[in-house]
Amino acid sequence: MIVQLHLDSPPAVELTPEESTLIKKLEGLQCRVTPVTTQRTRYLVLDTPKDLDIRKIGHLEGVRDVHRVTAPYKLVSREWRVAPSSVDLGDGVSFEEGALTLAAGPCSIEDEDQIDQVIEHLQSVGVSLMRGGVYKPRTSPYSFRGVGLEGLRMWHEKAQAAGIKIITEVLATEQIEALHDYVDMFQVGARNAQNFTLLAELGKVDKPVLLKRGMSTTLDEFLHAAEYVFSSGNEKLVLCERGIRTFERAYRNTLDINAVPALKERTHLPVIVDPSHAIGVRRWVPAVALAAVAAGCDGLILEVAPVPERAFSDGQQTLNFEESKRLIEKIRKLREVIEP
Ligand code: PEP
Ligand code: MN
């Protein structure tokens, strides 16, 4: 159950005496109470006895509203927040239902010239969010592992001047502070999808988070991971299906297209798709990108680089500018058909 409180916003860091009294009363009704303070407000998440009469809570002093949520994850559940959430990155860039927000860019940020070229391409196709890793989670420690903070600072300066927002992956809690001022959205990669320490720390930051599905996480586990971020304080959360590992070896991963409608029914959070990592084969990326749009995703994140053949990482699944432009045109046409 979720209890919404009568609050002066923003909530005080410490519980007020009135809130503590309310919690005592709820505990008296055999409820286990977890207070959750987000950047927006404070909630009480309750684990209640099965037969508890909800009306006993509704009239308690300080309670504005009470919702029964049967799903094991609570605050990300659509049972509670029925309307879809939007996640605002500022300057008119946001993720919201029906908006089909696109993010594109290289797998790894490499150098100044690459950044300039990608920014110019994004501007020419009307995309305002650039992806790129500066810390790369690589299978082999001998592979290119990213240009690090120095590269991010240069990228940030150029992106800001061009009115482009930045999304980059954070690999560890120790990186959050250093990255913070240079990113518009933190990405949690598939390999960290259940790094609960990292997820909880990202709950404390005031920047949006893109949470990718782990390669072997169920939707239930995925939503619980999202609940970690939300319940640690950050409501600005977007989910990304990026393919799961199956027995099939003909492509990198298997895009679980089913996840799009299934997640959207379960959660109010925006749901986007990464077709590049999902299929891992450049010439097939457009097919699955369009399938994801048809399935009703709220956005896509694409790997795009000036010369994919020379990319430091994931070139085999990266589109060049011409391919990117053609795909984006098709995506927009398809969207018009689906949502006239
Ligand atoms: C990436 O976006 O570059 C990436 C590493 O993705 P994933 O975590 O989905 O593998
Ligand atoms: Mn990649």
Side-chain angles (χ1 to χ4, degrees), residues 59-95:
H59 78 272
L60 293 175
E61 203 177 318
V63 173
R64 190 167 61 115
D65 220 341
V66 54
H67 302 260
R68 191 182 292 282
V69 181
T70 54
Y73 42 83
K74 302 291 175 195
L75 292 159
V76 303
S77 167
R78 206 158 189 161
E79 280 179 60
W80 163 60
R81 195 178 276 173
V82 180
S85 297
S86 61
V87 174
D88 191 6
L89 276 70
D91 302 317
V93 183
S94 67
F95 287 91

Short mmCIF file of all heavy atoms in Angstrom, two decimals, residues 59-95:
data_model
loop_
_atom_site.label_atom_id
_atom_site.label_comp_id
_atom_site.label_asym_id
_atom_site.label_seq_id
_atom_site.Cartn_x
_atom_site.Cartn_y
_atom_site.Cartn_z
N HIS A 59 -8.59 7.59 7.15
CA HIS A 59 -9.05 8.71 7.98
C HIS A 59 -8.00 9.19 8.98
O HIS A 59 -8.23 10.12 9.72
CB HIS A 59 -10.35 8.30 8.71
CG HIS A 59 -10.08 7.43 9.88
ND1 HIS A 59 -10.00 6.06 9.77
CD2 HIS A 59 -9.84 7.72 11.19
CE1 HIS A 59 -9.73 5.55 10.96
NE2 HIS A 59 -9.61 6.52 11.82
N LEU A 60 -6.82 8.54 9.00
CA LEU A 60 -5.79 8.96 9.98
C LEU A 60 -5.28 10.36 9.64
O LEU A 60 -5.17 10.73 8.47
CB LEU A 60 -4.62 7.96 9.98
CG LEU A 60 -4.92 6.56 10.50
CD1 LEU A 60 -3.70 5.66 10.33
CD2 LEU A 60 -5.34 6.60 11.97
N GLU A 61 -4.91 11.09 10.67
CA GLU A 61 -4.47 12.47 10.47
C GLU A 61 -3.15 12.51 9.68
O GLU A 61 -2.22 11.76 9.97
CB GLU A 61 -4.28 13.14 11.82
CG GLU A 61 -4.38 14.64 11.73
CD GLU A 61 -4.26 15.29 13.09
OE1 GLU A 61 -4.86 14.76 14.05
OE2 GLU A 61 -3.57 16.30 13.18
N GLY A 62 -3.09 13.36 8.70
CA GLY A 62 -1.86 13.50 7.90
C GLY A 62 -1.92 12.72 6.60
O GLY A 62 -1.08 12.89 5.72
N VAL A 63 -2.93 11.83 6.47
CA VAL A 63 -3.03 11.01 5.25
C VAL A 63 -3.85 11.75 4.20
O VAL A 63 -4.98 12.18 4.45
CB VAL A 63 -3.70 9.65 5.56
CG1 VAL A 63 -3.96 8.87 4.28
CG2 VAL A 63 -2.83 8.84 6.51
N ARG A 64 -3.24 11.93 3.03
CA ARG A 64 -3.98 12.61 1.96
C ARG A 64 -4.71 11.59 1.09
O ARG A 64 -5.80 11.77 0.65
CB ARG A 64 -2.99 13.40 1.10
CG ARG A 64 -3.67 14.34 0.12
CD ARG A 64 -2.66 15.30 -0.45
NE ARG A 64 -1.62 14.55 -1.16
CZ ARG A 64 -1.42 14.64 -2.46
NH1 ARG A 64 -2.14 15.42 -3.19
NH2 ARG A 64 -0.46 13.95 -3.04
N ASP A 65 -4.01 10.46 0.87
CA ASP A 65 -4.55 9.46 -0.03
C ASP A 65 -3.90 8.12 0.28
O ASP A 65 -2.75 8.09 0.71
CB ASP A 65 -4.18 9.86 -1.46
CG ASP A 65 -5.33 9.61 -2.41
OD1 ASP A 65 -6.22 8.84 -2.03
OD2 ASP A 65 -5.32 10.18 -3.51
N VAL A 66 -4.61 7.05 0.04
CA VAL A 66 -4.01 5.73 0.24
C VAL A 66 -4.40 4.83 -0.93
O VAL A 66 -5.53 4.86 -1.40
CB VAL A 66 -4.39 5.15 1.64
CG1 VAL A 66 -5.88 5.13 1.84
CG2 VAL A 66 -3.81 3.78 1.83
N HIS A 67 -3.41 4.10 -1.43
CA HIS A 67 -3.63 3.26 -2.61
C HIS A 67 -3.20 1.84 -2.32
O HIS A 67 -2.10 1.60 -1.81
CB HIS A 67 -2.76 3.76 -3.79
CG HIS A 67 -3.04 5.17 -4.16
ND1 HIS A 67 -3.84 5.53 -5.21
CD2 HIS A 67 -2.61 6.33 -3.60
CE1 HIS A 67 -3.90 6.84 -5.28
NE2 HIS A 67 -3.16 7.35 -4.33
N ARG A 68 -4.03 0.91 -2.71
CA ARG A 68 -3.65 -0.50 -2.57
C ARG A 68 -2.86 -0.89 -3.82
O ARG A 68 -3.31 -0.67 -4.94
CB ARG A 68 -4.90 -1.36 -2.46
CG ARG A 68 -4.61 -2.80 -2.05
CD ARG A 68 -5.86 -3.63 -2.01
NE ARG A 68 -6.78 -3.25 -0.94
CZ ARG A 68 -6.61 -3.58 0.33
NH1 ARG A 68 -5.58 -4.31 0.70
NH2 ARG A 68 -7.48 -3.21 1.25
N VAL A 69 -1.66 -1.41 -3.64
CA VAL A 69 -0.83 -1.86 -4.77
C VAL A 69 -0.50 -3.32 -4.53
O VAL A 69 0.20 -3.65 -3.57
CB VAL A 69 0.48 -1.03 -4.89
CG1 VAL A 69 1.30 -1.50 -6.08
CG2 VAL A 69 0.17 0.45 -5.01
N THR A 70 -1.01 -4.19 -5.37
CA THR A 70 -0.78 -5.61 -5.13
C THR A 70 0.57 -6.07 -5.68
O THR A 70 1.11 -7.06 -5.23
CB THR A 70 -1.90 -6.46 -5.79
OG1 THR A 70 -1.98 -6.09 -7.17
CG2 THR A 70 -3.23 -6.22 -5.12
N ALA A 71 1.13 -5.34 -6.66
CA ALA A 71 2.45 -5.71 -7.21
C ALA A 71 3.50 -5.62 -6.10
O ALA A 71 3.37 -4.80 -5.20
CB ALA A 71 2.82 -4.77 -8.36
N PRO A 72 4.54 -6.46 -6.18
CA PRO A 72 5.57 -6.43 -5.12
C PRO A 72 6.43 -5.17 -5.19
O PRO A 72 6.96 -4.72 -4.19
CB PRO A 72 6.42 -7.67 -5.41
CG PRO A 72 6.16 -8.01 -6.84
CD PRO A 72 4.78 -7.54 -7.16
N TYR A 73 6.61 -4.62 -6.38
CA TYR A 73 7.23 -3.29 -6.49
C TYR A 73 6.07 -2.32 -6.35
O TYR A 73 4.93 -2.63 -6.71
CB TYR A 73 7.95 -3.16 -7.85
CG TYR A 73 7.16 -3.74 -8.99
CD1 TYR A 73 6.17 -3.00 -9.61
CD2 TYR A 73 7.34 -5.07 -9.39
CE1 TYR A 73 5.39 -3.54 -10.61
CE2 TYR A 73 6.56 -5.63 -10.39
CZ TYR A 73 5.59 -4.85 -11.00
OH TYR A 73 4.80 -5.39 -11.98
N LYS A 74 6.32 -1.18 -5.78
CA LYS A 74 5.19 -0.32 -5.40
C LYS A 74 5.17 1.02 -6.15
O LYS A 74 4.25 1.31 -6.90
CB LYS A 74 5.25 -0.04 -3.89
CG LYS A 74 5.23 -1.30 -3.03
CD LYS A 74 3.89 -2.00 -3.07
CE LYS A 74 3.90 -3.31 -2.31
NZ LYS A 74 2.76 -4.14 -2.64
N LEU A 75 6.23 1.82 -5.93
CA LEU A 75 6.19 3.20 -6.43
C LEU A 75 6.33 3.29 -7.94
O LEU A 75 5.95 4.29 -8.54
CB LEU A 75 7.28 4.02 -5.73
CG LEU A 75 7.01 4.23 -4.24
CD1 LEU A 75 8.31 4.58 -3.51
CD2 LEU A 75 5.98 5.33 -4.02
N VAL A 76 6.89 2.27 -8.56
CA VAL A 76 6.99 2.30 -10.03
C VAL A 76 5.76 1.66 -10.67
O VAL A 76 5.64 1.64 -11.89
CB VAL A 76 8.29 1.62 -10.56
CG1 VAL A 76 9.53 2.27 -9.95
CG2 VAL A 76 8.28 0.13 -10.31
N SER A 77 4.86 1.15 -9.84
CA SER A 77 3.72 0.41 -10.38
C SER A 77 2.65 1.33 -10.95
O SER A 77 2.37 2.41 -10.40
CB SER A 77 3.11 -0.45 -9.27
OG SER A 77 1.86 -0.92 -9.67
N ARG A 78 2.03 0.88 -12.00
CA ARG A 78 0.94 1.64 -12.60
C ARG A 78 -0.38 1.44 -11.85
O ARG A 78 -1.34 2.16 -12.08
CB ARG A 78 0.79 1.23 -14.07
CG ARG A 78 0.20 2.32 -14.90
CD ARG A 78 0.50 2.18 -16.38
NE ARG A 78 0.05 3.39 -17.04
CZ ARG A 78 0.46 3.79 -18.23
NH1 ARG A 78 1.35 3.09 -18.90
NH2 ARG A 78 0.00 4.90 -18.76
N GLU A 79 -0.38 0.48 -10.94
CA GLU A 79 -1.58 0.31 -10.10
C GLU A 79 -1.78 1.55 -9.25
O GLU A 79 -2.89 1.88 -8.85
CB GLU A 79 -1.39 -0.87 -9.15
CG GLU A 79 -1.61 -2.22 -9.76
CD GLU A 79 -1.36 -3.30 -8.71
OE1 GLU A 79 -2.03 -3.32 -7.67
OE2 GLU A 79 -0.44 -4.11 -8.94
N TRP A 80 -0.65 2.18 -8.93
CA TRP A 80 -0.73 3.36 -8.06
C TRP A 80 -0.83 4.63 -8.90
O TRP A 80 -1.77 5.40 -8.76
CB TRP A 80 0.53 3.41 -7.17
CG TRP A 80 0.76 4.73 -6.56
CD1 TRP A 80 -0.10 5.37 -5.71
CD2 TRP A 80 1.87 5.58 -6.74
NE1 TRP A 80 0.43 6.58 -5.36
CE2 TRP A 80 1.63 6.73 -5.97
CE3 TRP A 80 3.06 5.48 -7.45
CZ2 TRP A 80 2.54 7.78 -5.91
CZ3 TRP A 80 3.97 6.52 -7.39
CH2 TRP A 80 3.70 7.66 -6.63
N ARG A 81 0.15 4.85 -9.76
CA ARG A 81 0.12 6.06 -10.58
C ARG A 81 -0.38 5.63 -11.96
O ARG A 81 0.38 5.06 -12.74
CB ARG A 81 1.51 6.69 -10.65
CG ARG A 81 1.48 8.10 -11.17
CD ARG A 81 2.86 8.72 -11.17
NE ARG A 81 3.24 9.29 -9.88
CZ ARG A 81 4.45 9.76 -9.61
NH1 ARG A 81 5.41 9.70 -10.51
NH2 ARG A 81 4.71 10.29 -8.42
N VAL A 82 -1.61 5.90 -12.21
CA VAL A 82 -2.25 5.38 -13.42
C VAL A 82 -1.80 6.14 -14.67
O VAL A 82 -1.60 5.57 -15.73
CB VAL A 82 -3.80 5.45 -13.26
CG1 VAL A 82 -4.49 4.92 -14.49
CG2 VAL A 82 -4.21 4.65 -12.03
N ALA A 83 -1.60 7.44 -14.51
CA ALA A 83 -1.17 8.25 -15.66
C ALA A 83 0.32 8.03 -15.93
O ALA A 83 1.09 7.85 -14.98
CB ALA A 83 -1.43 9.71 -15.37
N PRO A 84 0.72 8.03 -17.19
CA PRO A 84 2.15 7.84 -17.47
C PRO A 84 2.99 9.01 -16.95
O PRO A 84 2.57 10.15 -17.00
CB PRO A 84 2.21 7.79 -19.01
CG PRO A 84 0.95 8.43 -19.48
CD PRO A 84 -0.07 8.22 -18.41
N SER A 85 4.18 8.69 -16.45
CA SER A 85 5.09 9.75 -15.97
C SER A 85 5.90 10.29 -17.12
O SER A 85 6.22 9.55 -18.06
CB SER A 85 6.08 9.17 -14.95
OG SER A 85 5.41 8.70 -13.84
N SER A 86 6.27 11.54 -17.03
CA SER A 86 7.23 12.05 -18.01
C SER A 86 8.51 12.42 -17.28
O SER A 86 8.48 12.71 -16.08
CB SER A 86 6.64 13.24 -18.76
OG SER A 86 6.37 14.26 -17.85
N VAL A 87 9.61 12.33 -17.98
CA VAL A 87 10.91 12.61 -17.38
C VAL A 87 11.55 13.75 -18.17
O VAL A 87 11.82 13.62 -19.36
CB VAL A 87 11.80 11.34 -17.40
CG1 VAL A 87 13.20 11.66 -16.92
CG2 VAL A 87 11.17 10.26 -16.53
N ASP A 88 11.77 14.85 -17.47
CA ASP A 88 12.19 16.08 -18.11
C ASP A 88 13.70 16.28 -17.99
O ASP A 88 14.24 16.25 -16.89
CB ASP A 88 11.45 17.23 -17.41
CG ASP A 88 11.60 18.53 -18.17
OD1 ASP A 88 12.18 18.52 -19.28
OD2 ASP A 88 11.14 19.56 -17.64
N LEU A 89 14.37 16.48 -19.10
CA LEU A 89 15.82 16.73 -19.08
C LEU A 89 16.13 18.21 -19.22
O LEU A 89 17.28 18.63 -19.26
CB LEU A 89 16.52 15.95 -20.20
CG LEU A 89 16.88 14.50 -19.92
CD1 LEU A 89 15.65 13.61 -19.85
CD2 LEU A 89 17.82 13.96 -21.00
N GLY A 90 15.08 19.01 -19.35
CA GLY A 90 15.26 20.46 -19.50
C GLY A 90 15.36 20.86 -20.96
O GLY A 90 15.61 20.04 -21.84
N ASP A 91 15.13 22.17 -21.20
CA ASP A 91 15.22 22.75 -22.54
C ASP A 91 14.38 21.99 -23.58
O ASP A 91 14.81 21.80 -24.73
CB ASP A 91 16.68 22.82 -23.01
CG ASP A 91 17.54 23.64 -22.07
OD1 ASP A 91 17.07 24.71 -21.64
OD2 ASP A 91 18.66 23.20 -21.74
N GLY A 92 13.24 21.53 -23.15
CA GLY A 92 12.31 20.91 -24.10
C GLY A 92 12.62 19.46 -24.43
O GLY A 92 11.94 18.85 -25.27
N VAL A 93 13.62 18.88 -23.78
CA VAL A 93 13.91 17.46 -24.02
C VAL A 93 13.28 16.64 -22.90
O VAL A 93 13.56 16.89 -21.72
CB VAL A 93 15.43 17.19 -24.06
CG1 VAL A 93 15.73 15.73 -24.38
CG2 VAL A 93 16.11 18.11 -25.07
N SER A 94 12.44 15.70 -23.28
CA SER A 94 11.82 14.88 -22.23
C SER A 94 11.42 13.53 -22.80
O SER A 94 11.30 13.35 -24.01
CB SER A 94 10.59 15.59 -21.67
OG SER A 94 9.59 15.67 -22.66
N PHE A 95 11.23 12.60 -21.88
CA PHE A 95 10.67 11.30 -22.25
C PHE A 95 9.23 11.29 -21.77
O PHE A 95 8.98 11.53 -20.58
CB PHE A 95 11.43 10.16 -21.57
CG PHE A 95 12.79 9.93 -22.16
CD1 PHE A 95 13.91 10.59 -21.65
CD2 PHE A 95 12.96 9.08 -23.25
CE1 PHE A 95 15.16 10.38 -22.21
CE2 PHE A 95 14.21 8.87 -23.81
CZ PHE A 95 15.31 9.53 -23.29
#
